[in-house]
Amino acid sequence: MIDIFGLPLDQLTRTLRNDYGKGLFHAEALYREVFKNGGKNIGNAPEFKNSLKFWTELEKALVPVSGKVEETFKEDELVKFITRLTDGLKIESVVIPMTRHNTLCVSSQVGCKMGCKFCQTARMGFKRSLSTSEIVGQVFNARHLLGYDIKNIVFMGMGEPFDNFDAVMTAVEVLNSQKGCDIALRHMTISTCGVVPGIERLSQMNLPNLRLAVSINGPDDATRSALMPVNRRWPLAALKKSLEAYPLSSRGVFLFEYILIKGVNDSMDHAQALARFIHPLSVRLNLIPYNPVTGFDHQSPSDEQMHDFAQTLTDKGVFVIKRWSRGRSVSAGCGQLGKI
Ligand code: SF4
């Protein structure tokens, strides 16, 4: 069987060569027909129309996109969709409209092991990691089943991408191929809660255009460890060291996410400490007000607190973007996936 959603182009080429005596020509045609055209009319493409015997055999071997989109929820233009996987487990993905095109937030695992206190996904526990095919399938379904023009991918859905490193990086390779999905590396963002070995492995791959986001949420070890158990394993000093060694492109920046939780991490002292942690890294900081989730009884900060916190950082030279969380009513805001 051939699962094109899980195969980078070179591997697909090898498979076609080994199984059918074909090669790059047909592999590229298959990529184009599936990823660019939605896979509905592959047999009519000239490369296959003229090789009917080959196509008849290949058609039987092609695995359809894994998982079934079961439900979609809308809030204005933001859409969360739920996919039931072949083993019955469910994952969530979110289409986020941006100024010129859509971003798709994809899941990399069913549930998550990382246990961040403010996160709904953490409450599900960890079920399993997704395959490359299941990750790429979310993009395929968003584009070709639901009809959204997806140009950006963020690995910020359910799961910690670096806890599923190989499948995620193979998905990045599949999605990046110009012959298929054609999503540029600079339009893909991997978001980690701070799994340092993952940052180090990514450093070694030397992909400076791929964007790296780090969820910070606490500017000192005590605050951060209370919110994010991952910090006990890899404290802020280790995290910073791995970021300092990261091969950012000359104009590249790290995206830092900081969820502001009233009375927990939103004081001016926290803002000062955060500025010290950031210096001298090249960072764009997204400040996000906490989206209340069941089981973590805290509140969002007031608009004024958000502004004051942001201003303290701006005064220290940090580039801050205030994000007013979108998607709260459909539980598609940051840290809210997993109520299914
Ligand atoms: S915030 Fe991300 S890493 Fe943390 S528990 Fe939730 S899904 Fe996992």
Side-chain angles (χ1 to χ4, degrees):
M1 299 306 280
I2 299 176
D3 183 356
I4 184 173
F5 302 95
L7 288 178
L9 189 59
D10 59 341
Q11 281 185 39
L12 178 64
T13 306
R14 269 202 301 281
T15 305
L16 294 188
R17 185 163 293 133
N18 293 341
D19 295 0
Y20 303 96
K22 302 289 183 184
L24 184 64
F25 177 73
H26 285 96
E28 285 185 353
L30 199 52
Y31 244 53
R32 183 196 66 225
E33 288 304 312
V34 173
F35 292 124
K36 286 196 195 299
N37 299 334
K40 294 205 176 73
N41 251 325
I42 309 175
N44 279 334
E47 295 87 346
F48 300 103
K49 211 173 173 178
N50 300 328
S51 316
L52 204 57
K53 186 166 170 291
F54 165 52
W55 169 240
T56 312
E57 284 176 35
L58 182 64
E59 193 179 17
K60 284 187 222 140
L62 287 180
V63 174
V65 66
S66 61
K68 230 174 144 45
V69 174
E70 269 199 343
E71 276 177 280
T72 58
F73 303 87
K74 279 196 180 183
E75 182 191 270
D76 301 325
E77 288 154 24
L78 187 144
V79 176
K80 176 163 90 170
F81 63 91
I82 294 176
T83 306
R84 184 181 286 276
L85 303 170
T86 44
D87 59 3
L89 293 172
K90 295 191 221 172
I91 50 167
E92 303 181 10
S93 323
V94 184
V95 180
I96 308 157
M98 310 301 277
T99 328
R100 274 184 289 179
H101 35 242
N102 297 306
T103 290
L104 182 68
C105 174
V106 294
S107 292
S108 55
Q109 298 181 309
V110 189
C112 187
K113 292 176 197 160
M114 297 297 150
C116 303
K117 297 285 184 270
F118 48 82
C119 174
Q120 191 69 43
T121 304
R123 296 200 163 34
M124 297 172 63
F126 174 72
K127 306 279 195 266
R128 70 170 172 87
S129 285
L130 297 184
S131 65
T132 296
S133 173
E134 289 167 331
I135 297 169
V136 172
Q138 296 169 64
V139 182
F140 178 86
N141 280 333
R143 276 185 167 176
H144 298 291
L145 187 75
L146 303 176
Y148 292 100
D149 177 21
I150 304 291
K151 290 269 168 56
N152 287 308
I153 304 295
V154 291
F155 288 82
M156 291 184 187
M158 296 161 77
E160 161 56 50
F162 287 156
D163 192 40
N164 187 17
F165 192 95
D166 293 329
V168 165
M169 292 316 296
T170 307
V172 165
E173 190 180 347
V174 172
L175 295 170
N176 180 232
S177 172
Q178 288 182 351
K179 302 293 176 188
C181 292
D182 195 16
I183 300 172
L185 287 180
R186 67 177 186 286
H187 290 160
M188 287 192 256
T189 304
I190 310 263
S191 176
T192 179
C193 65
V195 175
V196 167
I199 297 172
E200 290 169 347
R201 272 185 84 183
L202 191 60
S203 288
Q204 282 156 18
M205 293 178 80
N206 201 16
L207 300 169
N209 290 328
L210 183 63
R211 308 188 83 186
L212 181 63
V214 187
S215 193
I216 302 289
N217 308 318
D220 57 80
D221 283 329
T223 308
R224 191 163 192 264
S225 292
L227 291 170
M228 304 176 75
V230 70
N231 194 71
R232 288 184 215 132
R233 182 112 186 252
W234 296 290
L236 283 163
L239 176 60
K240 187 159 180 179
K241 202 167 156 211
S242 70
L243 295 173
E244 282 170 336
Y246 191 84
L248 267 188
S249 64
S250 54
R251 287 166 54 205
V253 290
F254 296 111
L255 308 173
F256 277 9
E257 288 140 21
Y258 194 100
I259 298 176
L260 268 180
I261 309 167
K262 189 174 178 181
V264 173
N265 63 357
D266 64 341
S267 72
M268 291 313 113
D269 283 349
H270 287 122
Q272 303 272 4
L274 182 57
R276 283 195 297 278
F277 176 74
I278 288 172
H279 181 78
L281 297 169
S282 187
V283 164
R284 197 184 80 190
L285 179 75
N286 284 337
L287 271 188
I288 308 156
Y290 171 59
N291 273 329
V293 298
T294 35
F296 187 63
D297 199 11
H298 287 279
Q299 290 164 359
S300 307
S302 65
D303 291 0
E304 204 185 340
Q305 277 170 302
M306 273 278 279
H307 284 297
D308 291 349
F309 197 91
Q311 193 57 50
T312 304
L313 286 150
T314 308
D315 291 345
K316 295 271 173 197
V318 179
F319 181 43
V320 182
I321 296 174
K322 283 173 279 180
R323 297 235 179 257
W324 303 105
S325 251
R326 301 158 92 181
R328 282 189 199 191
S329 72
V330 290
S331 292
C334 184
Q336 286 196 319
L337 299 188
K339 276 192 191 160
I340 47 180

